Amino acid sequence: MPEHLRALVVILVFASVVFALGRRPATDLSVLPQDFARRRNLWIAVTVIAFVSHNYWLFAGFTGLVLLMAGRKEANVVALFVWLLFAVPAFFKEVPGFGVINYLMTMEYIRLLTISLLVPAYIGLRRQARVERSGWLPTDYLLLVYMLIQLTLRLNVDTATNTARYAVYALLDVGLPYYVASRSLRELSQFRDVAMSFVVAAMVLALIGIFESVKWWLLYSSLERALDANWGYSNYLGRTAILRAQASTGQPIVFGYVMVVALALYAYLRCCVKSRALWWLGFALLGGGLLASYSRGPWVGAAVGLVVFRLAGPNAVGGLLKAALVVGAICALVLVSPMGDTVIDLLPFIGTVDKNNVDYREELLTTGVRLILHEPWFGVTGYMNQLVDNELVIGGMVDLVNTFLGIGLAYGVIALACFVGVFAVTARSAYMAMRRLPNPQDEARMLGCGILACFTGIGVTIFTTSSITVIPVIYWIMAGVGAGYVAMLRRQAASRTADRQGLAAASARSRRFVPRAGARVS
């Protein structure tokens, strides 16, 4: 049996285990039973089509048709999108131009999901916006300026055709995920559904990743060749004789990044799960996936994100101390175990394993900041050549392992400020709105804590890597979720204010028309 078909069997077994164990808690909390069954079947169908089609365009055609039909029945398209996001790696191929141009566009799995699920949702949301006469959000303007700066600078150095192509990419990869998430999520139950869907998909990924690390077998590595597609990821990468898990993300640090976001959302779901033992079992699975990545950036990102979750919630100091005691006990057990020395060597800033990667990041940051300060506004001219001149070459290339630095070098501080502003403005607005909630133990407050933890974990992690594979689509989806959360709290606050004003007015009218003692009432 070919390797990719043997891998398919293993993947389906692990996915079936997670779906079977997760069905009851997911349907009890957020997902309707029929929605869970449909999404599970879709995940399996997309995976099977990818592994048995043996042709990328057959896979894209059948998958797109299945998704279009399923999207019509889906009430929460964002939840379905994140559920299927990791089912298949983001393989791509160029759509031919049929002799008119070289090629139309690059089609990849994530764009296929966007076209099949988010474009129809966008059309419906635009109709709804015209009816409600809803305006723009503050973060909409920041995102628009960020995209326009990128396209304007590209037009100065590229052809009009290629710039138009990248404009389509910007709309599909950035604009649509953000817009649909920020407008379609209006009720708390919808946010809970998205969080649960992302967590379930990440748990499947975590179990696959743990198996990859233990068995030294990347289950998706043979699929690229079987589909005759392009990707360039899913290479075997080890650290201290241990294989770093990737699953369908194609890179260990991206795999760890997915676990960071899943852990932050899972921390929010703790307020909804009745069984503490079941919640800890899921936490252990996601934590095991995070460890299987053997990526220090996501480790730090997850730790900082969970600290922010505790600090933003009620009983911040006490909860943080309890969490610190639990983590300290776990760390002590690990350190006294036979794996203690290995774990210490892997720790960031302390360990000695691949220390050259840490040194490279420090030198890259120092040199990159100096170049940006020299040409701050709209990118550094020939920054790649300047980095090469400064001997910042690793593995035969300049690896811009810092998303913020990459944006600043390529597009300048104005674009960087807009990029950071989308998340900073949303985080501040979410924090201010959630603090006004009447009940500090309310689920809506815990959702805000989860969103803040997501933003923090994402920020720390992308500070150590470039935005590759699924990294950007996740942070734009989460930016939209955060913007939608702020809009929901503002609607609820306005409704409470209107109710109070209505009660006050009714009370005033009743006092005005109460007859005096002894007065005749006609």
Side-chain angles (χ1 to χ4, degrees):
M1 181 183 293
E3 180 186 353
H4 68 283
L5 294 182
R6 287 188 284 114
L8 172 62
V9 174
V10 177
I11 291 169
L12 292 180
V13 168
F14 287 142
S16 300
V17 170
V18 173
F19 290 145
L21 294 177
R23 182 182 183 279
R24 181 65 180 273
T27 53
D28 286 346
L29 290 179
S30 59
V31 187
L32 294 175
Q34 59 269 28
D35 289 341
F36 186 94
R38 182 174 60 256
R39 294 172 190 174
R40 177 200 60 204
N41 296 340
L42 276 173
W43 193 99
I44 294 173
V46 170
T47 303
V48 171
I49 291 172
F51 276 87
V52 303
S53 59
H54 295 91
N55 180 278
Y56 183 81
W57 295 118
L58 284 178
F59 156 71
F62 281 115
T63 301
L65 183 61
V66 169
L67 293 176
L68 282 172
M69 292 189 297
R72 298 176 181 177
K73 304 177 182 178
E74 184 59 55
N76 192 341
V77 71
V78 179
L80 178 60
F81 183 88
V82 298
W83 184 289
L84 298 174
L85 186 58
F86 315 118
V88 179
F91 299 136
F92 65 89
K93 264 202 164 185
E94 294 177 351
V95 180
F98 305 103
V100 180
I101 56 176
N102 188 20
Y103 67 99
L104 289 177
M105 63 179 294
T106 300
M107 177 60 69
E108 61 177 31
Y109 173 65
I110 298 175
R111 287 188 186 132
L112 181 64
L113 276 180
T114 303
I115 293 171
S116 304
L117 297 178
L118 300 188
V119 169
Y122 168 79
I123 296 172
L125 290 171
R126 287 303 303 159
R127 293 173 184 156
Q128 179 180 335
R130 284 193 292 269
V131 172
E132 297 178 352
R133 295 182 180 180
S134 55
W136 284 40
L137 304 175
T139 48
D140 296 351
Y141 295 100
L142 292 171
L143 185 59
L144 179 62
V145 173
Y146 170 72
M147 294 166 61
L148 289 177
I149 290 175
Q150 287 186 320
L151 294 175
T152 302
L153 293 176
R154 175 169 290 276
L155 184 60
N156 290 332
V157 298
D158 207 345
T159 63
T161 302
N162 213 29
T163 303
R165 190 177 289 123
Y166 274 88
V168 174
Y169 296 160
L171 291 174
L172 293 177
D173 302 343
V174 179
L176 275 176
Y178 165 82
Y179 183 88
V180 175
S182 63
R183 266 60 174 189
S184 66
L185 303 178
R186 302 174 65 89
E187 304 294 335
L188 186 58
S189 59
Q190 295 176 309
F191 288 94
R192 193 187 318 125
D193 189 11
V194 171
M196 179 61 74
S197 298
F198 191 99
V199 166
V200 170
M203 285 182 174
V204 176
L205 211 64
L207 192 55
I208 292 172
I210 294 171
F211 173 84
E212 289 183 341
S213 184
V214 171
K215 296 296 291 183
W216 199 277
W217 180 20
L218 297 180
L219 295 177
Y220 291 89
S221 62
S222 58
L223 183 57
E224 180 180 0
R225 184 173 59 256
L227 279 176
D228 188 27
N230 303 314
W231 202 24
Y233 295 100
S234 197
N235 300 314
Y236 279 76
L237 299 173
R239 181 163 281 172
T240 65
I242 301 172
L243 181 66
R244 302 172 65 190
Q246 304 176 22
S248 63
T249 64
Q251 221 277 343
I253 198 168
V254 182
F255 179 85
Y257 166 87
V258 174
M259 297 301 117
V260 170
V261 177
L263 283 168
L265 294 175
Y266 195 62
Y268 145 64
L269 292 173
R270 176 65 185 89
C271 68
C272 308
V273 177
K274 298 179 181 179
S275 172
R276 181 172 297 182
L278 186 63
W279 185 88
W280 277 109
L281 178 63
F283 187 87
L285 177 57
L286 293 174
L290 178 67
L291 291 176
S293 70
Y294 290 95
S295 299
R296 290 171 285 207
W299 290 357
V300 177
V304 175
L306 293 178
V307 167
V308 168
F309 179 87
R310 273 298 185 183
L311 291 177
N315 191 23
V317 177
L320 187 60
L321 289 176
K322 290 180 182 178
L325 290 175
V326 173
V327 173
I330 295 173
C331 292
L333 290 175
V334 172
L335 291 177
V336 299
S337 70
M339 297 178 58
D341 293 337
T342 303
V343 171
I344 292 175
D345 284 339
L346 289 170
L347 291 177
F349 311 113
I350 299 175
T352 58
V353 175
D354 290 343
K355 190 176 182 300
N356 60 312
N357 289 340
V358 178
D359 296 337
Y360 177 81
R361 282 174 166 83
E362 293 178 354
E363 295 176 10
L364 179 67
L365 180 61
T366 302
T367 305
V369 170
R370 177 170 54 81
L371 294 176
I372 291 173
L373 292 177
H374 183 67
E375 296 183 67
W377 302 117
F378 296 104
V380 178
T381 305
Y383 65 91
M384 277 294 184
N385 294 329
Q386 296 191 51
L387 293 175
V388 171
D389 293 340
N390 282 273
E391 299 182 352
L392 287 170
V393 178
I394 186 170
M397 60 178 289
V398 175
D399 194 2
L400 276 174
V401 283
N402 186 319
T403 295
F404 302 104
L405 186 64
I407 294 173
L409 287 170
Y411 307 111
V413 295
I414 297 178
L416 179 60
C418 292
F419 175 81
V420 175
V422 171
F423 301 93
V425 170
T426 303
R428 183 185 182 279
S429 300
Y431 182 70
M432 299 302 294
M434 61 188 266
R435 291 195 61 180
R436 299 190 188 100
L437 291 173
N439 181 11
Q441 303 287 343
D442 190 65
E443 182 189 346
R445 173 75 178 262
M446 302 311 295
L447 172 59
C449 296
I451 291 173
L452 293 178
C454 273
F455 283 6
T456 307
I458 287 171
V460 172
T461 305
I462 65 176
F463 190 80
T464 65
T465 184
S466 53
S467 292
I468 55 177
T469 71
V470 298
I471 286 180
V473 69
I474 291 176
Y475 60 61
W476 290 127
I477 281 280
M478 289 310 304
V481 169
Y485 171 75
V486 172
M488 179 190 72
L489 292 188
R490 287 176 176 171
R491 286 194 301 270
Q492 292 178 353
S495 177
R496 289 194 297 268
T497 302
D499 290 343
R500 286 195 297 266
Q501 292 174 348
L503 289 173
S507 177
R509 286 194 300 269
S510 64
R511 288 195 301 269
R512 185 181 308 164
F513 293 107
V514 170
R516 290 174 298 174
R520 295 182 59 187
V521 180
S522 59

